[in-house]
Amino acid sequence: MTDSPRRLRPLGLALCLSLALPATVLPGLGGAAASPEPETAETTHNSVQKQDRAPRPARVSDERAIASLVRRMSLEQKVGQLFVQHFYGASATTPDQRNVPLYGVATPAEVIAKYHLGGVIYFGWSGNLTDPQQIAGLSNGLQRAAIGSGEPIPLQVATDQEQGPVIRFGAPATQLPGAMALGAGRSTGDSRRAAAITGSELKAVGIGVDYAPDADVNVNPANPVIGVRSFSSRPNLVSSMVAAQVKGFQNDAQVTATAKHFPGHGDTAVDSHTGLPVITHTRAQWRELDEPPFRAAIKAGVDQIMTAHLVVPALDSSGEPATLSRTILTDVLRKDLKFRGVVVTDSLAMEGVRTKYGDGEVAVRAIEAGADQLLMTPAMDAAYTAVLGAVRSGRISTERLDASVTRILQLKWKRGLFAQPYVDPARIDDVVGTPAHRAQADAIAERGMTLLTDEAGVVPFALAGRKVAVVGYGATATKTLAQEFTARGATATALETGSAPTPALIEQAVANATEADLAVVTTMNASTEANKSQRDLVAALQRTGTKVAVVAVRNPYDINALPGVGTYLAAYSYNAVSVRAAARVLLGEARATGRLPVDIPTADGAGVLYRFGAGAR
């Protein structure tokens, strides 16, 4: 059951009364009493506007209102604004016992009230993202809880909707290609359109913050955590795409964008979820490779920047991860790059930031370093108590705390949360997954497809009356391809063999291919040692004598580990929109106009097999 928005308190009027503001401060905060009904969700049917609608800078009266609110807040309320936490459950007021070990209370509303949280983050695995109506009801219920817990301050609701392989808000929401596919398409217009569509659909269900775009420059093909989440290995291409997405999210959809992961996660060989990476770039290399996309994001007006849990000795020789480094967050990001927005940490549950300190100390040190928001601490009581204690003892000054709280509240004000915290569920179908959005997504996906070789002469493949064996990684990928082929008159089978196919699955795939006119195999990071058996699968299929087409549905580097492959298409994602586009390319219904946004090294790493820009067939 979701929470009905009909009984929600009108925030505009409540804040106006609490601050005794003049009627001219902001629409919805003064003058006539605000309606008790939820405001209509702002929609974006034409995803990119002809004129940029740059966010309105705060007026003097706005600044005074925020300053007055900060003075009225208790210490507990101020500290609570620094935290963005996950929780379990689909409704704000329905108990979920999984919350109790984390927070000592069972309902999401109680979590918010207990800590005066400044923000929450939604995930599918925590039961927050079932369907659009449920999500909107959850968002409205959480806003009511936040507004009712002390000073009437609305909540930031966030998620990671990068698109491509990182999608939290699934169907019927529009799926779009991810960053590297957009980089392959080379269109800043497509990049902006993708962000505008994504942002407008998030906003329609009450999610006002997206932890995207990824501003990392993926110069390391072996990067275990970024890869296709990056637009490119070239900083100028990443910069232009990041700036476009910031404008799409913020100017077109009025949703907060977050450039990540500062100071740059593109040259790591260690996953910061499980360890602490060290970036060995010199300061000059950092300025040339890693810094430009963040400068571009700041120039475009990005609301937030997310920190990275990694060590960059050239920027800070102390050995502290960037999230805990005052040198990096304050001296470099604030002073050198002149970033004035909100700094949010990456998840504090990741091992990269927990290698030296306990969770309470990590929270305090992140604030001391210059972070404003603490994302997903795994020990809320310890972290909350530690920050309260640090302020009371003077370790964190009141001025330092107020600076972060002020930035957070100013961002909420700028994004309209004080005037319009609730969404209207009746408007969701006008925005989420519309035919217009899906058509744009299909066109964008086609423009990113990169056909590196077709020496086998597969493209275009006439399907009528033919047999096709689809095998490889991804239940969605294999099923979608088989469905696309079947719809065009082929007899198609689908066999999902996973990232590490067993000998039995390889034997079954070979049997399927032997009976077929074409074998299409989807690979996912087959160039890595952990996925070596994917290479065995492709080699076994090649030995059948049946024509074989490889579709790489994650990183494009797989071809360097697949000698003799005659047809190779980089799709950059295993989500349905990208896989459908791959099918259209194989069938000759669409041209693969994408160009590699990275270099693909030779298998031994000594040379380049395919250079940046290859493709566009």
Side-chain angles (χ1 to χ4, degrees):
M1 178 182 295
T2 58
D3 299 278
S4 170
R6 298 292 179 185
R7 299 186 299 276
L8 298 176
R9 178 147 66 111
L11 175 62
L13 180 60
L15 184 58
C16 180
L17 293 175
S18 68
L19 298 184
L21 297 176
T24 56
V25 170
L26 193 67
L29 288 180
S35 167
E37 304 297 330
E39 298 285 350
T40 301
E42 192 168 331
T43 62
T44 307
H45 293 289
N46 299 317
S47 298
V48 178
Q49 309 301 318
K50 293 182 180 180
Q51 300 272 337
D52 282 358
R53 292 185 289 124
R56 176 182 57 79
R59 297 181 303 211
V60 172
S61 56
D62 299 345
E63 294 172 356
R64 288 175 179 168
I66 294 297
S68 179
L69 176 55
V70 171
R71 287 194 296 271
R72 293 170 62 92
M73 294 169 67
S74 68
L75 174 59
E76 290 78 10
Q77 290 168 341
K78 290 178 182 179
V79 171
Q81 286 297 304
L82 308 183
F83 287 88
V84 179
Q85 291 296 112
H86 81 284
F87 60 87
Y88 291 96
S91 164
T93 56
T94 301
D96 190 314
Q97 294 305 310
R98 292 175 293 178
N99 291 316
V100 176
L102 297 173
Y103 305 114
V105 293
T107 72
E110 289 172 320
V111 175
I112 290 167
K114 178 178 180 180
Y115 302 104
H116 310 285
L117 287 183
V120 295
I121 181 170
Y122 289 171
F123 293 99
W125 52 260
S126 55
N128 310 142
L129 300 168
T130 302
D131 61 69
Q133 291 293 328
Q134 170 270 318
I135 300 168
L138 175 62
S139 298
N140 284 338
L142 294 176
Q143 291 294 3
R144 181 171 62 183
I147 292 161
S149 62
E151 292 295 334
I153 301 171
L155 195 68
Q156 279 187 317
V157 180
T159 197
D160 291 290
Q161 190 81 345
E162 295 179 18
Q163 299 286 6
V166 182
I167 292 177
R168 311 299 188 194
F169 181 22
T174 304
Q175 295 185 11
L176 284 134
M180 193 169 285
L182 293 170
R186 298 294 201 278
S187 169
T188 54
D190 280 351
S191 189
R192 180 169 178 169
R193 269 185 289 274
I197 291 169
T198 300
S200 67
E201 296 193 8
L202 291 176
K203 184 164 186 176
V205 297
I207 301 172
V209 176
D210 197 356
Y211 291 137
D214 193 303
D216 301 313
V217 181
N218 198 69
V219 295
N220 186 350
N223 194 319
V225 66
I226 303 300
V228 295
R229 298 169 63 195
S230 165
F231 291 99
S232 175
S233 61
R234 303 294 173 93
N236 59 341
L237 180 55
V238 177
S239 296
S240 63
M241 293 291 171
V242 164
Q245 290 228 306
V246 169
K247 293 173 183 176
F249 282 120
Q250 298 186 175
N251 296 8
D252 302 334
Q254 295 299 304
V255 162
T256 284
T258 309
K260 61 186 186 184
H261 307 80
F262 188 81
H265 214 310
D267 193 13
T268 57
V270 174
D271 185 343
S272 53
H273 291 84
T274 58
L276 181 59
V278 177
I279 304 294
T280 59
H281 294 176
T282 66
R283 196 176 188 94
Q285 288 173 323
W286 178 80
R287 290 200 179 281
E288 178 185 357
L289 294 172
D290 303 290
E291 180 191 53
F294 291 101
R295 280 199 179 274
I298 293 168
K299 184 177 181 181
V302 71
D303 285 345
Q304 297 189 155
I305 288 179
M306 179 179 285
T307 70
H309 306 325
L310 45 78
V311 174
V312 188
L315 300 183
D316 182 355
S317 60
S318 70
E320 295 284 17
T323 296
L324 307 182
S325 168
R326 180 173 176 82
T327 301
I328 292 175
L329 298 190
T330 298
D331 295 345
V332 177
L333 182 56
R334 291 286 189 204
K335 295 178 182 177
D336 294 352
L337 273 64
K338 297 179 171 55
F339 178 59
R340 300 292 181 259
V342 170
V343 176
V344 57
T345 72
D346 205 343
S347 169
L348 296 183
M350 295 164 61
E351 286 304 311
V353 77
R354 304 175 74 204
T355 57
K356 293 170 65 175
Y357 309 107
D359 292 314
E361 182 67 11
V362 164
V364 172
R365 285 176 177 261
I367 298 299
E368 288 180 319
D372 299 305
Q373 288 185 321
L374 307 170
L375 178 62
M376 293 178 65
T377 175
M380 185 63 190
D381 282 340
Y384 184 68
T385 301
V387 176
L388 284 173
V391 177
R392 288 171 176 148
S393 71
R395 179 178 173 184
I396 295 175
S397 69
T398 300
E399 292 76 16
R400 171 68 191 87
L401 174 64
D402 286 355
S404 283
V405 173
T406 298
R407 278 190 285 267
I408 293 165
L409 297 183
Q410 285 176 338
L411 177 53
K412 292 181 180 185
W413 192 303
K414 181 171 77 169
R415 288 291 155 221
L417 275 173
F418 281 95
Q420 186 175 306
Y422 309 119
V423 293
D424 185 354
R427 298 297 303 274
I428 289 173
D429 290 345
D430 296 335
V431 184
V432 175
T434 63
H437 283 178
R438 292 198 303 269
Q440 290 184 70
D442 283 337
I444 291 169
E446 285 182 4
R447 289 190 281 270
M449 293 293 113
T450 308
L451 186 62
L452 288 182
T453 181
D454 187 34
E455 293 178 359
V458 168
V459 181
F461 192 79
L463 284 176
R466 311 288 288 279
K467 293 182 179 180
V468 181
V470 180
V471 303
Y473 176 83
T476 296
T478 52
K479 181 180 178 181
T480 300
L481 281 172
Q483 289 174 337
E484 292 294 303
F485 297 151
T486 299
R488 290 161 174 81
T491 300
T493 60
L495 177 64
E496 206 278 324
T497 56
S499 60
T502 63
L505 283 171
I506 293 174
E507 183 178 350
Q508 181 61 55
V510 167
N512 290 1
T514 301
E515 300 297 322
D517 300 295
L518 173 67
V520 179
V521 55
T522 54
T523 62
M524 196 283 291
N525 297 355
S527 61
T528 65
E529 192 59 29
N531 296 338
K532 180 181 181 298
S533 59
Q534 289 186 49
R535 309 198 292 264
D536 298 334
L537 169 64
V538 174
L541 294 173
Q542 289 173 310
R543 290 193 293 269
T544 65
T546 301
K547 282 189 174 182
V548 176
V550 174
V551 180
V553 294
R554 184 80 185 229
N555 290 332
Y557 309 109
D558 291 0
I559 193 170
N560 70 12
L562 304 172
V565 165
T567 299
Y568 183 88
L569 178 65
Y572 306 101
S573 175
Y574 38 77
N575 68 8
V577 68
S578 295
V579 174
R580 288 196 303 269
R584 292 193 294 275
V585 168
L586 293 175
L587 300 176
E589 297 174 4
R591 289 184 58 234
T593 56
R595 293 176 288 155
L596 272 180
V598 296
D599 290 327
I600 295 180
T602 55
D604 61 7
V608 177
L609 183 64
Y610 287 94
R611 294 194 177 277
F612 177 94
R617 291 172 174 266

